[in-house]
Amino acid sequence: MHKEFDSPKRLLECMTLDEKVGQLSLYSADVKLAGPDPVNPTLSFQAPEHRFADIRAGRVTGFFNGHGDAFVRTLQRIAVEESRLGIPLIFGADVIHGFHTAFPVPLAEAASFEPDLSRKTAEAAAREATAHGLHWTFAPGADLCRDARWGRAVESAGEDALVSARFAAARVRGFQGESLADPQRLMATVKHFAAYGAAEAGLDYNTAELSRTTLIDHYLPPYRAAIEAGAGAVMSAFNDVDGVPATANRVLLTEILREQWGFEGFVVSDFESDLETIVHGLAATPREAVRLCFTAGLDMCMQSGTYAAHLPGLVADGTIDIRRIDHAVLRVLRAKQALGLFENPYRGLDLSYDPVPSRTLAREAARRCAVLLKNTHGALPLKPSARIALIGPFAREQQNLNGAWAIFAANAESVNLEQGFLAARGADALVVEPGCAIDAPLDGGIDAALAAARSADVIVLALGEGQHMSGESRSRADIGLPEAQLQLARALRNVSKPIITLLRTGRPLVIPELADLSDALLVTWFLGSETGHAVADLVFGHAAPSGRLPMSFPRHQGQVPIYYARKRTGRPAAPPPAMFTARYIDVDPTPLYPFGFGLGYGRADYGATEVDAAGIGWNDTVTVSCSITETAGVELEEVVQLYVRDVAASRVRPVRELKDFRKVLIPARGSVTITFTLGRTDLAFADLAGGSVTEPGEFQVWIAPHAEAGTPATFVLKAPLPSSATEEAT
Ligand code: BGC
């Protein structure tokens, strides 16, 4: 900060209205001289001189999705040396799952059920991104997703509120560390507030049609967890909630975020979501859009420039109180101060960092995210002597390893499957054939694949989605495997060799036939820079799969949205021929693979769930335990899950809800006893008035390997003693 301003407040006193509004205006790095914007390719690029003049005049708070020494230094120097007040710019970007090194996509990391893994990858991403001049990331995404059609499922932590909350919080800690003043840390932004993942029919940008209690119980907790972990910023969502676009939604941006949760950072729009309130049909003009968004609690507008165009006029005619502008500006200046930008506007820039630790972490992370769904007769891991036919559109290709948001990662430096298998086994044991393209046959592809398969002992079949098939604006109505890939798989089934399928995907896919014809099925998501090495580690048994599904895999796409924490119905599904229960007449209503499911190379045998008390007092806790034994003679990492059902409550509660989970190591043929503790606050839920309540009564509790398994124990939460308030709010 210039010496004469000893605090953001003093600085604010010296700012003109235009300079204040400048601090609320963020723009894409549209001053690049060549090449399309990787995220929003339709952007028109400004002449650099034009932006230079804006910076000089204090009309810009910062830029996003540009990086690098030359870019950052050039613009920052103009801001700090040539603008009247020398306020530094902030440089933001979508650092979602890595920067130069790509880590597994967020959905994959959620499958690890190890939030601390995400903390570490976020920390490593921050180290790389800050070295390239960035200060601020537009992550973590904390959008709960129950609909596999939604393309941004890949950016989510899946369908469960607790898993999503723990991962969101862990990522914030990873990006931000102990102090934002650390030049190797990024300020985090939790997004997209709120309920963006509830897009109706899984259609990106669609209305979020959900009840207030579902919003409170399931969709809000992940955002809140990120805020409680200290996220510096919030990004508003594109969708409406209750008919009001989130970007202009006072209930969300002010009542919940600030008044209930005490958030003190700033809120930025998602791209031009402020201006889009006109297209939503809420605002009639850009000026009205600005009035509605700003007064609802949106501090900064991204890209649209509408705040710069209209806030000064709205202040001048008394519609908006200047004190409100000051509050918003102060939030932004405080963030810049917390980042240490006033002392060192070039913080972090240092391209001499060592990339090796990130690559080591990327390989470790990738191994821990894969989910083994099927492994008949111990088909995996492969025997050292096995000759392998690596077949499929992803066998050797290089463009679909990193996942939807690896916009700064170098594809050429990522390890594909062929490279990983070669490094593990050498060329003699391997023959590689694509067989087909991602969504089209290849001339002679199947014949070549069949010949390769016949020459080998085992077929490793690399199928699934291309990188372009999940991500923003990549919703799919058909979430099956492309037909060309299915045809390849069917043809290979006729060669009597075991089939090990590696499924690359950014969402649950509908794969009953593929699952049937595979001897082993390993979901490998988009695992990032070290894909090939990590998959080879798992396939050859140097590491064992330990991931579990963070989203249910449907049998049929007509079941979507399908999720385990569904509300109880008065007519739960009963097996046929029973009619008039919650079944389809044509498809089994259960998922093909449920939430929480996954195998290792060992096998877990769960004992009965036990509680240490049949009844607990209002302020007491119950200990729930279970003994788990490894029975296959192979060490196993098991994700042990604690589920609860509220037997009778004042409103319909889910079939089960995950309340805790822990990944534990069980030695070969060993047993471990796992205990969890539950108290009253774990049993709370939203009441119809928008608050939170715990009700006494009976609860069922499971310790189980997935959401559909196990036999419950029960305990009773006793009513508070007359001296405590009845139905005390939690
Ligand atoms: C996305 C955001 C992203 C922003 C900036 C938008 O289209 O929805 O998630 O942070 O672009 O790139």
Side-chain angles (χ1 to χ4, degrees):
M1 201 160 325
H2 274 199
K3 280 180 231 45
E4 63 267 34
F5 314 119
D6 50 9
S7 71
K9 259 202 167 126
R10 280 277 302 123
L11 180 54
L12 186 76
E13 284 163 16
C14 304
M15 293 170 77
T16 64
L17 181 54
D18 281 342
E19 284 166 339
K20 289 178 181 176
V21 168
Q23 288 305 307
L24 308 180
S25 305
L26 179 74
Y27 296 96
S28 163
D30 54 4
V31 280
K32 275 179 298 183
L33 298 176
D37 180 278
V39 183
N40 292 290
T42 52
L43 273 181
S44 58
F45 288 97
Q46 305 284 330
E49 299 69 31
H50 174 77
R51 278 292 180 237
F52 293 170
D54 282 341
I55 299 168
R56 235 171 250 125
R59 285 194 289 258
V60 185
T61 197
F63 293 95
F64 66 96
N65 286 347
H67 67 93
D69 198 275
F71 174 78
V72 168
R73 245 179 238 284
T74 307
L75 302 190
Q76 193 68 299
R77 198 195 52 72
I78 298 173
V80 296
E81 291 178 20
E82 297 179 21
S83 75
R84 192 176 75 87
L85 296 170
I87 302 175
L89 297 167
I90 186 167
F91 291 93
D94 291 284
V95 182
I96 312 283
H97 50 101
F99 186 73
H100 200 83
T101 306
F103 294 108
V105 292
L107 187 66
E109 285 197 352
S112 73
F113 277 74
E114 289 176 72
D116 202 51
L117 187 68
S118 276
R119 183 190 60 74
K120 289 184 198 151
T121 59
E123 179 181 1
R127 202 178 313 116
E128 288 188 358
T130 51
H132 288 81
L134 293 171
H135 315 132
W136 176 24
T137 175
F138 302 151
D143 303 315
L144 191 88
C145 174
R146 293 170 155 184
D147 192 324
R149 293 169 296 184
W150 192 47
R152 301 191 85 168
V154 66
E155 294 175 52
S156 80
E159 70 182 54
D160 181 69
L162 180 75
V163 173
S164 303
R166 288 197 182 164
F167 274 89
R171 289 202 173 98
V172 171
R173 292 194 190 99
F175 287 129
Q176 297 194 164
E178 293 293 307
S179 162
L180 285 182
D182 178 345
Q184 295 189 334
R185 299 296 185 155
L186 290 170
M187 182 173 76
T189 310
V190 59
K191 69 186 189 184
H192 306 78
F193 192 68
Y196 182 39
E200 196 171 50
L203 183 65
D204 205 5
Y205 316 122
N206 206 2
T207 184
E209 188 59 54
L210 77 177
S211 70
R212 190 164 164 76
T213 49
T214 295
L215 177 74
I216 295 171
D217 281 339
H218 300 281
Y219 284 83
L220 291 185
Y223 306 111
R224 185 175 192 167
I227 285 161
E228 287 176 357
V234 168
M235 186 185 289
S236 65
F238 286 124
N239 54 281
D240 77 276
V241 172
D242 271 340
V244 183
T247 300
N249 194 313
R250 209 194 114 75
V251 172
L252 291 176
L253 301 188
T254 297
E255 289 176 24
I256 294 178
L257 196 56
R258 300 220 180 266
E259 294 168 8
Q260 289 180 27
W261 297 355
F263 175 63
E264 289 181 347
F266 65 85
V267 183
V268 60
S269 64
D270 188 358
F271 216 71
E272 297 188 330
S273 58
D274 47 325
L275 200 53
E276 288 171 17
T277 58
I278 299 174
V279 193
H280 270 289
L282 187 83
T285 61
R287 179 186 162 91
E288 198 185 348
V290 171
R291 179 179 67 75
L292 289 168
C293 293
F294 187 78
T295 54
L298 183 81
D299 298 306
M300 183 186 285
C301 75
M302 183 193 286
Q303 191 57 26
S304 67
T306 49
Y307 274 18
H310 298 288
L311 273 180
L314 287 162
V315 172
D317 71 9
T319 309
I320 288 178
D321 188 335
I322 184 70
R323 280 172 304 186
R324 296 194 64 150
I325 306 274
D326 288 352
H327 281 144
V329 175
L330 263 183
R331 288 181 190 124
V332 176
L333 293 178
R334 285 194 179 121
K336 291 185 174 182
Q337 184 189 35
L339 284 161
L341 282 169
F342 288 101
E343 286 76 43
N344 181 6
Y346 307 101
R347 82 192 274 282
L349 273 172
D350 169 21
L351 295 180
S352 66
Y353 70 91
D354 176 9
V356 173
S358 288
R359 294 296 290 230
T360 309
L361 178 62
R363 182 165 178 169
E364 168 71 8
R367 294 199 297 220
R368 305 192 67 77
C369 297
V371 185
L372 183 64
L373 294 181
K374 183 176 178 186
N375 196 17
T376 311
H377 307 308
L380 279 177
L382 296 183
K383 300 201 176 38
S385 57
R387 283 171 304 130
I388 297 154
L390 176 60
I391 296 175
F394 300 111
R396 68 156 55 108
E397 73 81 48
Q398 197 67 30
Q399 300 308 314
N400 294 278
L401 298 160
N402 294 335
W405 270 115
I407 51 177
F408 307 106
N411 265 325
E413 290 170 24
S414 293
V415 180
N416 69 27
L417 291 177
E418 180 184 32
Q419 291 162 342
F421 278 48
L422 279 174
R425 273 304 155 84
D428 292 348
L430 191 67
V431 43
V432 182
E433 277 299 333
C436 66
I438 294 175
D439 50 15
L442 283 179
D443 268 354
I446 290 191
D447 288 342
L450 288 172
R454 287 191 193 104
S455 74
D457 301 319
V458 58
I459 301 163
V460 176
L461 189 52
L463 304 180
E465 289 195 311
Q467 198 162 285
H468 60 291
M469 291 165 77
S470 52
E472 185 176 354
S473 82
R474 309 291 169 157
S475 292
R476 292 175 65 196
D478 179 348
I479 53 170
L481 205 61
E483 189 53 32
Q485 295 188 36
L486 260 181
Q487 280 173 10
L488 173 66
R490 284 178 195 136
L492 289 167
R493 183 66 290 179
N494 295 325
V495 184
S496 307
K497 305 278 167 83
I499 296 184
I500 312 294
T501 300
L502 306 175
L503 189 65
R504 189 167 295 185
T505 182
R507 53 155 65 81
L509 294 176
V510 174
I511 46 157
E513 185 181 354
L514 182 68
D516 261 1
L517 61 75
S518 303
D519 295 277
L521 177 59
L522 185 68
V523 181
T524 57
W525 317 107
F526 292 96
L527 292 179
S529 301
E530 289 286 326
T531 297
H533 287 144
V535 173
D537 289 342
L538 295 167
V539 165
F540 299 117
H542 304 306
S546 65
R548 300 291 183 264
L549 292 180
M551 276 182 90
S552 312
F553 269 51
R555 294 172 192 279
H556 187 283
Q557 55 205 18
Q559 294 176 288
V560 174
I562 180 169
Y563 49 93
Y564 84 92
R566 61 196 179 274
K567 281 186 194 140
R568 287 160 70 189
T569 148
R571 295 187 170 192
M579 290 293 288
F580 307 108
T581 71
R583 302 188 58 88
Y584 300 101
I585 56 171
D586 49 356
V587 175
D588 181 335
T590 62
L592 183 65
Y593 296 108
F595 172 86
F597 180 77
L599 306 168
Y601 291 152
R603 196 173 320 120
D605 183 20
Y606 279 63
T609 303
E610 290 174 7
V611 288
D612 70 343
I616 57 165
W618 189 242
N619 293 317
D620 296 336
T621 55
V622 61
T623 300
V624 190
S625 61
C626 171
S627 157
I628 307 171
T629 306
E630 198 294 315
T631 58
V634 181
E635 180 182 84
L636 174 70
E637 278 193 281
E638 179 68 7
V639 177
V640 185
Q641 301 158 41
L642 176 75
Y643 293 95
V644 163
R645 174 191 288 180
D646 193 341
V647 175
S650 57
R651 66 177 184 80
V652 175
R653 305 284 296 120
V655 168
R656 288 189 192 194
E657 278 178 298
L658 187 70
K659 291 296 171 187
D660 207 347
F661 58 87
R662 201 177 306 148
K663 200 178 236 185
V664 294
L665 191 70
I666 311 180
R669 302 221 182 274
S671 289
V672 294
T673 298
I674 307 296
T675 59
F676 294 102
T677 306
L678 279 172
R680 167 163 56 92
T681 48
D682 299 308
L683 307 172
F685 59 95
D687 64 18
L688 291 172
S692 168
V693 67
T694 304
E695 294 173 350
E698 186 178 332
F699 292 85
Q700 293 182 318
V701 58
W702 293 254
I703 293 180
H706 61 79
E708 307 281 331
T711 313
T714 57
F715 68 91
V716 171
L717 175 67
K718 295 179 191 154
L721 295 172
S723 55
S724 350
T726 17
E727 302 246 325
E728 187 183 322
T730 48

